[in-house]
Amino acid sequence: MTSLGLFALVIGLASLFALLNERLLRLPLTIGILVFSLLAAALLLLAEAVLPGSGAAQARALLAQIDLPHTLLDGALAFLLFAGAQTVDVRALWGRRYSVLALAVLGTLLAVLLFAGGIWGVFGLLGFSISFPWCVVLGAILAPTDPVSVVGMLRRLGLPGPIQALFAGESLLNDGVGVVIFTVALSVAMDGGSAHATRLAEAFVWEVGGGLLVGLA
């Protein structure tokens, strides 16, 4: 399947799931699409278990053609952040800039550590020996919130503009913080739990400084 065909398939399925959610579940849009995506995946796995060769293998082969880390981090994330940023009140956001930065940086760091600690503890109870840096990698993936769903929820609640800007701004910036933590933690995890401080500092400066330069440009 070509890239254009794959893109059309994803957009078509997302539109179908959004329509089903509007007619049946009436959940927030992003949550509804996620629920139907999980149901579709479960049905594929069930069909494969009952009737081998019925579709799950083809779905796996299709996913194997995609470089998911590159597609998600360098492609989908950019459009997701743009969709969330275009509705934010910039003046209100600037007025809450210190609070937003504190929540985005310190809040995301705390959330990643809490996720990583919980995941590490659960794996330990289940008898899996997973190093803590890999748990931090997973925590960095789970901790940042979806800016589109957050902005949509705030708009439905009708909160004052400055409060919306505070939460929406934090939701937008925590993805960048999460990417930096993910990159650094992945470097440590792939080095077997140890990495030179200079290498970590270089990765941090590259991600943060490069992101700021591109954003300013």
Side-chain angles (χ1 to χ4, degrees):
M1 180 178 290
T2 64
S3 299
L4 181 59
L6 181 61
F7 179 75
L9 176 62
V10 172
I11 294 298
L13 287 175
S15 302
L16 175 62
F17 294 160
L19 179 62
L20 291 174
N21 174 66
E22 181 66 25
R23 297 293 180 85
L24 301 176
L25 301 181
R26 295 188 176 277
L27 293 171
L29 181 61
T30 51
I31 297 176
I33 292 177
L34 174 62
V35 169
F36 278 105
S37 300
L38 293 174
L39 288 175
L43 288 175
L44 278 175
L45 292 175
L46 180 62
E48 182 69 18
V50 176
L51 299 171
S54 58
Q58 290 84 344
R60 287 197 196 93
L62 180 61
L63 289 175
Q65 302 175 16
I66 310 170
D67 183 356
L68 283 178
H70 176 75
T71 303
L72 295 176
L73 292 178
D74 299 337
L77 182 60
F79 290 104
L80 184 67
L81 294 178
F82 176 78
Q86 65 180 347
T87 59
V88 175
D89 186 338
V90 177
R91 291 185 178 179
L93 178 62
W94 182 252
R96 297 287 190 276
R97 57 189 180 278
Y98 299 117
S99 300
V100 168
L101 285 174
L103 288 171
V105 177
L106 300 179
T108 303
L109 281 171
L110 179 60
V112 169
L113 290 176
L114 289 174
F115 268 111
I119 293 166
W120 184 72
V122 170
F123 279 147
L125 290 175
L126 295 177
F128 295 104
S129 179
I130 306 295
S131 65
F132 189 74
W134 282 112
C135 296
V136 175
V137 172
L138 184 55
I141 295 172
L142 298 175
T145 52
D146 174 14
V148 175
S149 60
V150 169
V151 171
M153 180 186 67
L154 294 174
R155 190 180 297 113
R156 287 194 302 271
L157 292 175
L159 295 177
I163 301 298
Q164 290 194 34
L166 177 64
F167 284 99
E170 188 277 335
S171 179
L172 287 169
L173 295 179
N174 65 18
D175 283 292
V177 177
V179 168
V180 172
I181 298 174
F182 170 82
T183 303
V184 174
L186 184 63
S187 176
V188 174
M190 294 184 68
D191 284 341
S194 63
H196 296 293
T198 53
R199 183 175 177 183
L200 297 180
E202 179 185 355
F204 183 82
V205 171
W206 177 260
E207 294 293 332
V208 176
L212 288 174
L213 290 175
V214 171
L216 289 173

